[in-house]
Amino acid sequence: MRLDGAAPVGGGLQPHEIAEAGVALAMRLNDVRCCVLLVEHSSSARLRWAANTVTANTVSNTRNVTAIVCDDRSATRGAGGEKAGFRIGTVSRRVDRLDDVAALVEDASFAAHAAQPVEDEPRLFAPAQRQPSADWDRPAVIVAARALAALTPDLGEVLQRAAGYDRESFGQAQQEVVTTWLATSAGVSFRHEQPVATLQMSMLSHHRERSTWVGRAADDLAQLDPAGLERETTTRLAWQARRLELPPGRYEVVLPPECVADLMISLYLAADSRAAEEGRGPFARASGGTRVGERVSELPLLLRSNPFESGLGCAPQVVASSSSAISSVMDNGVPLLAQEWISDGIVQGLHTTRHSAARAAVPHRPAPGNLVLEKQRPGGAVDSADSAGGTTEDLAAGLDRGLLATSLWFLQEAAPEDLRLSGILRDGLYVIEAGEVAGVVSDRRFMEAPLDMLGRAVDAGATRRALGRDWGPSFSRTAMPALRVSGFEVGGATG
Amino acid sequence: MTDDAREPAVDQDFRALPLTAAADAALQYARELGVQYADVRVQRNRRSLIGLHDNHLAVASDDLDLSLGARVLVAGVWGFATTDDLSPESATRAVRDAVELALVSTPLARGRIALAPAATQADRVWTSAWRIDPFLVSRTDQIGLLEAWSAKLLGHRQVTHVDASLVMLKEQKFYASSEGSTTLQQRIMLHPEFTVLAVDREDWQAEVMRTLAPPCARGWEYLSDESGWDWAAELAALPELVAERLYAPSIIEGAYDLVIDPTNLWRTLHETVGHSTEIDRALGHEATLSGDTFASPLRLGDLAVGSELMNVTGDRTTPHGCATIGYDDDGVPATSWNIIEQGVLTSFQVDRANAAAAGEERSNGCSYAPSAGSPPMPRCANVSLTPHPQGPHTDELIAAVERGLFIVGDAGFGIDRHCLRFRAGAQRAYQIVGGEVRGQVRDVAYQSSTPEFWTALIAIGGPRTNVLGGTSNCSKGEPRDVAWASHGCPSALFADIPVVNTHTGAGG
C-alpha cells in the first residue's frame, strides 16, 4: 500500500490536474476499458453548543480522490451464454503528487481484476461536447471560520437570553461547500460547487421536562436567523405547559414541512424503477409491474426535482462514486433535467440508470439531488411560500381534533415492501382541539408508510425550504409543505 | 506465521510520515500568535471488516483514514481545525483556522476553560501488546479461519445458519503540544464474533445465540493460538446451547435472585456506571443526544449508587483493555482511579478542561477522539467492578441461591436518557433451584433502575471469576464517533431483581 507522503511546496497537483492525470494514466494501463476520476474537496466550519455554551467546533478541509476503473477483460460468457457483465475497481484516498495518482489508478486496476462481474451499461456516458466546464481549473471553495461569524453574535445573545430565562439551548451551526471535479475517459470534465448551511436549535426548560426543536437549511449561514428560531422555540415551550395523556392509535396529524421532508426523502430514495420492476418496494404493484400511472393521492400533489431550482440548486450532471441500486458509475456525466415523479397525485415515473431504463424499456430518468413537494391548484399552478395561509399553524387551526408534530427521529425501515418506517415523534407532539393547542404528550413511537400516507393526505400547505431533522445535512435540498394526514399511527411512549 | 510475531512497535511507515515537521511548524506559529495552549495530532486508523453469512463472504472492507488536527485555547475558548494534508503549510493553516474559530466562538462561551496542569511528557512511545499484527495476516487466511470455524458450526445438525464477523482496528497517534509533550503510540484491537441460528421447522421456533468472546487489544494470536479466549470450547458448546434454548420453557415474570456472569454484567456496568460518570454528560453536553445522567459533581462523596460491596475503578492501563493507552489526547499519562467506593460516587471520568468541574485538581486521562478529524472529548475508560479478594467462585454464589437465575452473555440492552431505568437481555439464562443450576429458560430480561440494582448487590465473586468484557461500538458525539472500551467484572449475586418475559411481557 502506498503511503501518503508530504505534499512538497510547488509539487502538489491542483484538483483538476489530478482528475486529468488520473484519466490519462489509467487509460495507459493494460486492460482498462474506461475510467472515471472524481476529486472532492470538502470544506466546512461548524460549531456545537449545549447547556448554553459552545462545546465543540471544527474547521475541516479534506480532499478525497476516487479512481474507478473498468476492466476490459469483461466480456466473459456466463453459463447460459449471456454476457456475465464486466469488472469495476474503485479505490479512494487522498493523493497530491503525480506518482501517487499513478499508484491510485494502478490500485483501482488491480481491484478491477479481482472484482466480481457486474451487470451494467457497458459504456461510459459520452457527452456531445468534450469541453471542460468554464470553471474547470478554479480552485476549491474554502470555508473559513468567519463564515460562522455571520451568526455567532446573534447566537451568543440567544444563549444569554436562554440562561437568563432558565432555559437551556442546544444545537449546531454548519457551513459546508463540497467542490467536485469529475473527469471520465469518455470526455466528461465537470466541476461543481455545492454549498449547504444548516442551523438546528433545541430549547429545554423546567428541568429538561420541556423540550422543542427547530432547524433550517440554506446555501449560506447568513440567510439564517437564530433569533427567529428562538422565537419559535419560546412559543412551543409555552405550549408544553399542560401535559396530556394519549392512548396509542391512528390520529389525524399535521406534519410540519420538516417532518414531511424526512418522509419524502426516504420515499425518493426508494423510488427506483429497477426495484419496482423486480417487485420490490412501495412502487411495485402486487399484481406485477410498477405503479407508474396510478393515482396515489386525491390531493393534486406534485413531487418533483430540478437541479436548477432557485435556492435549491444541485449538480446538473450525474456524479457517482459507486454503483448501487439507484446509481451507476457508468452514468457519470449524464445531464440531469427537471423531473416530475408524481403530478396531480398520479405517479409519473421512477428514477433509473441508463441500464435499468433500457432493460425496462422506460424513459431514462436520472435522479437530481433535490426534492420539492407542492400542492397544485387547478390549472397546474402552485401556491408560493408567500401566499396567505398554508403554514403549519394554519393547517393546525383547521383541525377539530388531532395532533401537531414537531420533528421525526431515528427513522428505520420496518417493512421494505411498502416502505413502512418506524421512528420517534420527538420534541413536541401537541394535542389540537378546535384548532387550538390543548397541551403536549410525551415523545412517541410512530409507524408510517410515506407513499401510503400521501393517499391519506387531507390538505397541504404552502411549500418552503425545510430541513428534515433525521436526514439532516446529508440530504438538505428539500422544499416541502405542511401536510394534514389522517390515520397516522401513533404508538407508545419512548420511555 | 511466526515471521509476523515480533516485538510490538509503532509501524515504520507511520514514523516516516512528516509528523515532526508538521507539528513543529504548527506549534511555532501558535507560539507566535501567543495562544494559551496548542496541540497537534496526526492519527492514522486502519479499519478492517469481514462478514460471512453461511460461509459466503458478504462484506469485506479495508479503510484507511489519515488526518491532522490542531487544537488551540485562546483566552479560555477552544478552536479546532482538521485537514488530511500533512504539509507544514497545511498544519500552520490549521492553527490559523483554529485560532480564528476560537475567536468566532467566543460570544457563545459562557465560562472560560482553564486546563488542569499536567507534567510534560517528552518523546514518549507506547504500544499495546500484540504478538502477531493481524493486518499482516493475508486476507485469504483471515477469511479462511472464519470459514473453517463457520463450517464446523454449520456441520452441527441443530445449526441452520451462521454469521461470522471480524472487526479489526489499528490506531496510530502522534501528539505534540505547546507544553513540550510529544507522544507516539500504536494500538491494535480486534473483535471476532459468531452468531448461530437454530430453527425447529416442526414447531416453527427459532433461536439466535452468539459467542461471548469480548473485543480486546490483542493480535491475531487471539484467534490463532487462542490467547485470552478458549474458542475451541465455546464453538464446540454453542450448537447444543442454542438447541437447548429452542426447547427451553419461557420465563415466568417475577422477582428473582440473579447470579450474573461477567459476560453479561459488563454491559450493565458500561451503561449504568460507565456512561453515567462521563463528566461532559454530567454537565449536560449530551442532553439532546445520548441523554444526561443522575450523577452530579455536587453529589461526590455523598451519592449512594450501590451496596458497600460495589467498588468500581476507571483506568486506561489494564493490559489488553480496549480503552488502554499510554497517554490520552491531552497528553496525560494513563492511570487508574476509583469511581465508586463502597457504593458511593467518588469521581468522574474527566479530561483537563473539565477536571475542575468534577472537583479534581488533575485529569484522570479520559480525553479521546477516534480520529484527528474531530476534537477530543471525555470518552469512557475501562470501567471495572472490583472482585472481592477472598470472594467465592461462581458455583458458590449459585449454591447460595434457593430460587433464581444464572445469567450469561449480554443481549438487547435499553436504558433511559438519565442512565437510570434499564432493561438487560441475556444470551442464556438458567434456572437455579435449591442452589443448583437446572436447564435454560428463554425470553429473559432483567429490569431495574441503577441505584436499586446496585444496592441489591449482596455477594461478589473472587478474582478467579473475573473476565474482561467490552464493546467495539460505543458511539457518542455529533457527528457520531465510535470508540472501544473494556469492562472487567467478577460474577456477582443480586437479590430480588424484577425479571420480565420479553416475548409476552409489557412492550418496551
Side-chain angles (χ1 to χ4, degrees), chain A residues 1-9 45-64 92-94 96 143-146 148-149 151-153 155-157 159-160 163 168 170-172 202 204 208 211 409 426 445 469 493 495, chain B residues 13-14 16-18 44 46 62 64 66-67 77-89 96-98 100-102 104-111 280-289 292-293 373-375 377 416-418 421 477-479 508:
Chain A
M1 180 182 318
R2 290 301 185 99
L3 306 174
D4 187 4
V9 177
R46 61 180 179 269
L47 55 76
R48 182 160 85 98
W49 69 92
N52 298 332
T53 190
V54 57
T55 50
N57 53 26
T58 305
V59 167
S60 172
N61 281 285
T62 59
R63 185 169 73 197
N64 201 42
S92 196
R93 58 177 178 255
R94 179 174 179 112
D96 292 293
V143 175
R146 74 189 76 98
L148 291 165
L151 284 191
T152 46
L155 260 180
E157 288 175 5
L159 266 51
Q160 277 175 25
E168 288 180 297
F170 299 75
Q172 51 179 300
S202 292
L204 278 58
R208 298 183 187 155
S211 167
W409 189 242
R426 193 178 166 190
R445 294 191 177 75
R469 181 180 190 181
Chain B
D13 67 358
F14 183 71
L17 294 173
R44 188 168 76 175
R46 186 166 170 198
D62 193 347
L64 195 68
L66 171 64
S67 49
V77 180
W78 281 127
F80 178 79
T82 182
T83 173
D84 55 0
D85 177 350
L86 302 192
S87 66
E89 296 75 27
R96 191 197 63 203
D97 286 340
E100 190 179 1
L101 186 55
V104 164
S105 305
T106 300
L108 277 69
R110 268 189 85 189
D280 63 332
R281 200 165 163 135
L283 296 172
H285 294 179
E286 288 278 313
T288 54
L289 299 169
D292 54 24
T293 167
S374 46
M377 65 170 89
D416 71 10
R417 300 178 60 77
H418 313 292
R421 286 188 357 254
E478 182 67 40

Side-chain angles (χ1 to χ4, degrees), chain B residues 20 47 222 394:
Chain B
T20 335
R47 279 189 188 82
Y222 190 45
T394 309

